[in-house]
Amino acid sequence: MKRLDQRGSSTALIIAFVLTLLLFFGAAGFGVWAFAGRQDYKNNVEPKITAAVEIAKKETSTTKDNEFVEKEKQPLKDYIGPQPYGSLLVKYPKTWSAYVNESSQSNTPVDGYLHPNYVPGLQSSAAFALRVQVVSDAYDQVLKQFASLVKGGKVKVTAYSAAKVPSIVGSRLDGQIVPTKQGSMVLFPLRDKTLKVWTEASQFVGDFDTNILPNLSFSP
């Protein structure tokens, strides 16, 4: 039977002592950390609760404000275009204003500008909430105008049909549909002309998708 010599016994004792010290310092460190966290919570609990309450209030207020804004848009108002140009029907929020120029002598017989509250100057650099046009150019010609932007990846184009005119297949374009402006546009063949409906700012895409497009109609 082997016996541990004195050196082996001393080594084992040293290792055990070192491990004990490590455990002690680890436990002490954890205790200090926990105590500091407890003291911080104890000393700052009221400010933290107050801050949390304020954040909750702001979030609730923002939600209510958004709900109010959306309710104020109803019921939608109507724009009905001239019969020779498809009797276009556009429904838009009642909190918006509209300016539409109708001229049979123009290459753009229907040219509309719609925006919340009031319509900015037509020559301004404003990004309009909604633009509506009937142009004399054929659908294929108008779509070709965006070919370079599509090729360059600045505009994405997909086939699109209005919910209320499902028999007519047009196109939806998303991206830089107007120089320096990001938005969304739909194009439809309208007899020998083209119907263009678009928003010039991403902030109005929600209204475009929720209020404008689902209610858009015209006579092909």
Side-chain angles (χ1 to χ4, degrees), residues 99-154:
Y99 169 81
V100 184
N101 184 32
E102 300 173 355
S103 173
S104 60
Q105 306 302 313
S106 171
N107 288 330
T108 308
V110 176
D111 193 7
Y113 300 76
L114 299 90
H115 203 72
N117 299 321
Y118 64 92
V119 176
L122 303 188
Q123 303 304 316
S124 72
S125 60
F128 287 93
L130 188 67
R131 292 293 316 279
V132 178
Q133 286 184 338
V134 174
V135 297
S136 296
D137 296 328
Y139 171 78
D140 290 344
Q141 291 178 312
V142 175
L143 190 57
K144 282 180 182 178
Q145 295 171 8
F146 295 92
S148 61
L149 293 172
V150 173
K151 186 176 181 180
K154 294 183 178 181

Side-chain angles (χ1 to χ4, degrees), residues 9-220:
S9 177
S10 298
T11 300
L13 288 172
I14 291 172
I15 291 172
F17 177 72
V18 170
L19 289 174
T20 301
L21 281 178
L22 290 174
L23 289 173
F24 171 77
F25 286 120
F30 176 78
V32 170
W33 173 81
F35 178 77
R38 183 179 176 184
Q39 287 299 109
D40 175 70
Y41 180 81
K42 180 179 178 181
N43 296 333
N44 298 292
V45 62
E46 287 190 14
K48 289 181 177 180
I49 290 175
T50 301
V53 169
E54 287 302 314
I55 291 172
K57 283 182 179 179
K58 288 180 180 178
E59 290 177 348
T60 300
S61 177
T62 300
T63 299
K64 288 182 177 179
D65 289 344
N66 291 338
E67 290 175 353
F68 175 78
V69 169
E70 291 304 313
K71 287 180 180 178
E72 281 296 290
K73 294 176 181 178
Q74 304 296 327
L76 301 177
K77 294 161 70 174
D78 294 348
Y79 164 72
I80 301 176
Q83 189 276 332
Y85 307 111
S87 299
L88 173 65
L89 171 62
V90 177
K91 287 182 173 289
Y92 59 96
K94 71 177 178 67
T95 53
W96 291 13
S97 294
Y99 169 81
V100 184
N101 184 32
E102 300 173 355
S103 173
S104 60
Q105 306 302 313
S106 171
N107 288 330
T108 308
V110 176
D111 193 7
Y113 300 76
L114 299 90
H115 203 72
N117 299 321
Y118 64 92
V119 176
L122 303 188
Q123 303 304 316
S124 72
S125 60
F128 287 93
L130 188 67
R131 292 293 316 279
V132 178
Q133 286 184 338
V134 174
V135 297
S136 296
D137 296 328
Y139 171 78
D140 290 344
Q141 291 178 312
V142 175
L143 190 57
K144 282 180 182 178
Q145 295 171 8
F146 295 92
S148 61
L149 293 172
V150 173
K151 186 176 181 180
K154 294 183 178 181
V155 170
K156 178 182 177 183
V157 59
T158 54
Y160 185 83
S161 292
K164 293 194 174 183
V165 195
S167 61
I168 303 300
V169 179
S171 298
R172 174 165 178 156
L173 300 95
D174 295 283
Q176 189 181 307
I177 56 170
V178 178
T180 73
K181 296 176 183 177
Q182 297 286 321
S184 297
M185 173 185 287
V186 291
L187 303 174
F188 297 103
L190 183 60
R191 302 164 194 174
D192 61 336
K193 297 177 174 55
T194 303
L195 169 62
K196 300 170 63 177
V197 182
W198 73 97
T199 179
E200 296 182 339
S202 57
Q203 71 191 84
F204 298 115
V205 171
D207 282 298
F208 191 67
D209 290 334
T210 302
N211 293 318
I212 309 302
L213 295 185
N215 297 296
L216 180 69
S217 69
F218 56 92
S219 299

